[in-house]
């Protein structure tokens, strides 16, 4: 009997400067489960040369809630990468 690899597919949104770095405002990624936000970032850095310029620990929101790199992802999630903002 062979095991079937379970995968998760999610949407990644790049906001503001991060969209400029990677050349798109969103992409869909599929990873082997279980996977974390950190795994998604690793995949993105391999797929988009500009993503190598992202900070080691960018601000991330998963389904509109701020998360860290160790947060597990699920199929259908939306991960947004948010650049730092300054205001006055």
């Amino acid at each position: 009997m062979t095991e079937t690899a379970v995968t998760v597919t999610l949407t990644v949104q790049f906001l503001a400067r991060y969209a400029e770095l990677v050349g798109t405002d969103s992409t869909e990624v599929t990873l082997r489960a279980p996977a974390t936000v950190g795994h998604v970032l690793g995949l993105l850095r391999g797929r988009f040369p500009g993503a190598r310029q992202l900070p080691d620990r960018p601000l991330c929101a998963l389904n509109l809630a701020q998360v860290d790199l160790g947060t597990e992802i699920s199929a259908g999630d939306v991960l947004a990468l948010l650049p730092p903002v300054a205001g006055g």
Side-chain angles (χ1 to χ4, degrees):
M1 178 183 276
T2 59
E3 289 186 35
T4 303
V6 176
T7 60
V8 293
T9 300
L10 71 150
T11 300
V12 180
Q13 297 176 334
F14 303 97
L15 286 94
R17 174 74 178 131
Y18 293 167
E20 294 172 12
L21 288 175
V22 299
T24 186
D25 59 0
S26 69
T27 191
E28 187 173 273
V29 297
T30 301
L31 296 101
R32 179 174 264 173
T36 65
V37 171
H39 292 122
V40 174
L41 286 171
L43 179 83
L44 294 171
R45 287 186 172 105
R47 183 180 291 179
F48 298 102
R52 295 184 194 122
Q53 296 179 49
L54 294 171
D56 290 338
R57 302 180 71 79
L59 181 61
C60 299
L62 187 64
N63 303 323
L64 302 177
Q66 186 174 340
V67 295
D68 62 31
L69 298 182
T71 302
E72 192 168 317
I73 59 168
S74 299
D77 281 349
V78 177
L79 176 66
L81 302 181
L82 307 139
V85 293

